[in-house]
Amino acid sequence: MPTLTFTDISLLRPTPSLFPCPLKPTEKLRIHRLPLKLRCSIAEESKISPSKLSPNLNAADAATADCVIIGGGISGLCIAQALATNHSAVAPNVIVTEARDRVGGNIITVERDGYLWEEGPNSFQPSDPMLKMVVDSGLKDDLVLGDPNAPRFVLWNGRLRPVPSSPTDLPIFDLMSIGGKIRAGLGALGLRPPPPGHEESVEEFVRRNLGDEVFERLIEPFCSGVYAGDPSKLSMKAAFGKVWKLEQTGGSIIGGTFKAIQEKNKAPKQPRDPRLPKPKGQTVGSFRKGLTMLPEAISKRLGSKVKLSWKLSGVKKLDSGEYSLTYETPEGLVSLRSRSVVMTVPSYVASSLLRPLSVDAAGALSQFYYPPVAAVSVSYPKEAIRTECLIDGELKGFGQLHPRSQGVETLGTIYSSSLFPNRAPAGRVLLLNYIGGATNLGILSKKESELVEAVDRDLRKMLINPNAKDPLVLGVRVWQQAIPQFLVGHLDLLDAAKSSLRDNGYQGLFLGGNYVAGVALGRCVESAYEVASEVSNFLSQYAYK
């Protein structure tokens, strides 16, 4: 899986998307002709037009955009949407360029033979910023939400065991022993070793604060689901900053939680946008025809501001302070000028593009790691589900996670047909399985049939009857560079890249995407509003005459 963000498989909580934002699958570029006239607002023609490079035409002769966004994945499109809805007075002329012939990046929805499945992110957490993006994109009536009471499971000692969904479940759930629960409670209150003098990995932080059982039975599979990563190498501060901050501010996880609640209660409450839906409980969301509806809706609203099959070949800063960008397009080489630039491509692509500007920034960005992940979608008849896994005769729940210690290769499984309506024909169940990650690079050497066999073999150990018929295989997509790993030192590398650009005079050039924002799809959308504000502030502060 080239560049993804899998937070959907993070089924320990309803914050979705095993991929969360920009996946870059290896796919053949299909070129088609595009008109050269650029439309820089939804309703009116822009005065900006690209200039074809020729001996008689210099990049400086072109008109200037307010912002060019490189990358038409969910991050890039949402930044453009946020600029259009919140900052149109400052940045009326925005252009999104995408090297491939489609928008959406890691979001790939497939519909066939009565099935509808995802091959990238599977869902999102319906936070208010996410819901605002949904409403502003015209998709409010197409929003679908999962059952907030649907259980999540973790495989432990051969059984799928429910994860506690609320504090009242803690005394009775059997995923942990009584001793493990007591250790976790005492640690959360602050009865544990003090923080060390170095940046902790997720494993170090959780074992120190909450004990071995919480790590091995909850957090380790959770890390596999969110990042497809190795928790002994992931940074607690970078990957789970909100939890890390609780201990920093309150002296313990519980202390930090109470302090955060107090500060929230003291802060003046902002009125909630009345247009936004009100989800019931903690759940996940998608759309009637899958996640692809969001990038397609945004792209349609942006109109010809979105340029497909435009591959950026170079960027430089002009003496005027503006940026000149050169593209390979179906119409030949094209040059654009812009007051600001936002790169939402994967870090390894940004590294290559920025090397002529800053070797240090490029070097920092080149160090982020993206392991491979495969998304395997299969279907079984309902009667293939083990009786003990049924609730009221049905397969119910968000899905299941598999700790690496439990002897299965699959990272986790989403119950797609249970999560959202109209995902599979009557009498069938649709399961989306993720396999690979930082601890299983061997998937790159396996055939698609071997990946399906591995998934089917694992499912028959806990969910599917061993004597069931072979599954119907719907889709196998291998992302060779999937989810960026927020390893120890991640934030330092990101700061180094940003500082190098700033110190070398490249103000107005911003970095975005999932390696900056976080891997959840919803976090990419939330970050889009943050980046749009940064762009707007820059344009307001450094006005060009």
Side-chain angles (χ1 to χ4, degrees):
M1 304 174 127
T3 314
L4 4 123
T5 109
F6 286 23
T7 48
D8 297 313
I9 207 169
S10 71
L11 298 176
L12 295 181
R13 57 177 180 134
T15 53
S17 179
L18 181 50
F19 293 81
C21 326
L23 307 183
K24 294 275 183 183
T26 51
E27 52 186 82
K28 186 176 180 181
L29 181 65
R30 296 184 294 276
I31 302 297
H32 57 272
R33 306 287 288 183
L34 295 173
L36 281 180
K37 181 183 290 183
L38 290 179
R39 191 184 295 270
C40 288
S41 69
I42 298 175
E44 60 185 19
E45 292 285 347
S46 166
K47 296 179 180 179
I48 300 172
S49 61
S51 59
K52 287 191 177 183
L53 295 181
S54 72
N56 299 319
L57 184 59
N58 188 279
D61 295 326
T64 302
D66 296 304
C67 183
V68 170
I69 299 168
I70 303 166
I74 198 64
S75 291
L77 290 170
C78 288
I79 292 170
Q81 172 93 320
L83 287 170
T85 55
N86 294 359
H87 308 283
S88 59
V90 177
N93 299 320
V94 177
I95 300 167
V96 180
T97 63
E98 167 58 47
R100 288 175 289 177
D101 64 351
R102 66 171 184 85
V103 296
N106 60 331
I107 296 177
I108 297 179
T109 305
V110 183
E111 185 173 14
R112 187 173 66 237
D113 299 332
Y115 291 93
L116 189 148
W117 70 93
E118 306 286 355
E119 296 190 340
N122 180 262
S123 55
F124 54 80
Q125 184 179 13
S127 64
D128 278 2
M130 185 76 214
L131 292 174
K132 173 176 168 54
M133 188 64 65
V134 170
V135 171
D136 288 343
S137 302
L139 294 177
K140 181 177 181 179
D141 293 338
D142 293 291
L143 178 69
V144 292
L145 298 173
D147 179 2
N149 298 316
R152 301 153 179 80
F153 301 94
V154 168
L155 175 67
W156 193 258
N157 288 340
R159 284 181 49 211
L160 292 173
R161 303 170 188 268
V163 173
S165 58
S166 67
T168 57
D169 295 336
L170 294 176
I172 58 174
F173 82 106
D174 67 351
L175 183 56
M176 290 173 56
S177 68
I178 295 176
K181 296 174 186 178
I182 293 174
R183 167 65 179 89
L186 293 175
L189 289 169
L191 299 176
R192 56 17 174 176
H198 62 268
E199 183 178 357
E200 285 184 287
S201 69
V202 172
E203 179 174 2
E204 290 173 321
F205 180 94
V206 175
R207 287 190 187 275
R208 178 174 62 81
N209 275 281
L210 301 174
D212 295 340
E213 286 194 18
V214 170
F215 172 74
E216 293 165 0
R217 307 183 189 191
L218 287 170
I219 304 304
E220 187 274 331
F222 182 71
C223 287
S224 295
V226 176
Y227 287 93
D230 181 348
S232 69
K233 298 178 180 178
L234 289 172
S235 163
M236 188 68 193
K237 180 180 180 181
F240 302 103
K242 289 184 178 180
V243 178
W244 174 85
K245 190 176 181 181
L246 292 176
E247 184 185 28
Q248 299 296 309
T249 59
S252 68
I253 293 176
I254 295 295
T257 300
F258 280 125
K259 189 171 182 178
I261 293 173
Q262 291 173 345
E263 292 178 352
K264 182 178 180 180
N265 291 336
K266 290 180 182 178
K269 292 186 177 180
Q270 299 296 326
R272 188 172 187 266
D273 188 336
R275 303 176 304 153
L276 304 187
K278 296 181 179 179
K280 296 180 180 179
Q282 294 294 314
T283 186
V284 293
S286 182
F287 301 102
R288 179 177 51 83
K289 289 295 185 178
L291 292 180
T292 192
M293 291 189 74
L294 181 58
E296 290 178 356
I298 296 175
S299 180
K300 183 177 180 180
R301 285 181 168 252
L302 294 173
S304 57
K305 293 168 114 177
V306 178
K307 313 309 293 183
L308 301 180
S309 300
W310 279 38
K311 181 180 179 181
L312 182 64
S313 58
V315 56
K316 63 181 180 180
K317 194 168 187 180
L318 304 174
D319 292 340
S320 63
E322 299 162 344
Y323 289 90
S324 174
L325 303 100
T326 303
Y327 289 89
E328 299 172 15
T329 81
E331 302 292 339
L333 290 180
V334 169
S335 173
L336 293 180
R337 284 173 58 190
S338 181
R339 297 184 173 97
S340 63
V341 175
V342 182
M343 286 196 171
T344 66
V345 292
S347 63
Y348 50 87
V349 177
S351 173
S352 177
L353 293 169
L354 293 175
R355 189 165 297 278
L357 303 184
S358 171
V359 173
D360 291 339
L365 292 175
S366 69
Q367 295 183 56
F368 295 129
Y369 173 52
Y370 294 67
V373 180
V376 180
S377 296
V378 295
S379 174
Y380 296 88
K382 284 188 175 180
E383 54 268 24
I385 305 298
R386 294 189 179 195
T387 303
E388 63 268 24
C389 297
L390 299 175
I391 300 175
D392 298 328
E394 300 288 338
L395 177 65
K396 295 183 179 180
F398 282 83
Q400 59 194 54
L401 292 172
H402 312 144
R404 300 298 81 211
S405 62
Q406 297 304 293
V408 295
E409 192 174 357
T410 310
L411 296 170
T413 300
I414 306 289
Y415 303 164
S416 298
S417 52
S418 301
L419 192 54
F420 301 120
N422 303 316
R423 273 4 188 207
R428 305 288 300 190
V429 295
L430 173 62
L431 304 176
L432 169 57
N433 308 272
Y434 295 107
I435 185 170
T439 61
N440 184 12
L441 306 182
I443 66 163
L444 290 177
S445 63
K446 290 187 176 183
K447 300 176 182 177
E448 289 188 0
S449 60
E450 293 174 317
L451 294 174
V452 172
E453 289 172 4
V455 166
D456 180 59
R457 182 171 59 249
D458 287 346
L459 289 174
R460 290 172 190 270
K461 294 178 180 179
M462 80 291 272
L463 182 67
I464 301 298
N465 288 315
N467 60 351
K469 294 182 179 180
D470 291 342
L472 171 64
V473 181
L474 297 168
V476 178
R477 184 172 293 270
V478 177
W479 303 92
Q480 295 184 0
Q481 291 174 287
I483 309 168
Q485 300 296 288
F486 282 44
L487 305 179
V488 171
H490 179 94
L491 296 179
D492 292 335
L493 285 173
L494 187 57
D495 287 343
K498 291 181 177 179
S499 296
S500 179
L501 291 173
R502 182 178 60 252
D503 295 344
N504 284 282
Y506 295 106
Q507 291 84 0
L509 198 164
F510 301 91
L511 301 177
N514 60 352
Y515 74 94
V516 178
V519 299
L521 190 154
R523 180 59 197 134
C524 289
V525 173
E526 292 169 11
S527 178
Y529 286 104
E530 298 165 7
V531 173
S533 293
E534 291 182 45
V535 172
S536 177
N537 290 338
F538 170 79
L539 293 175
S540 299
Q541 183 177 356
Y542 298 97
Y544 290 86
K545 304 298 182 182

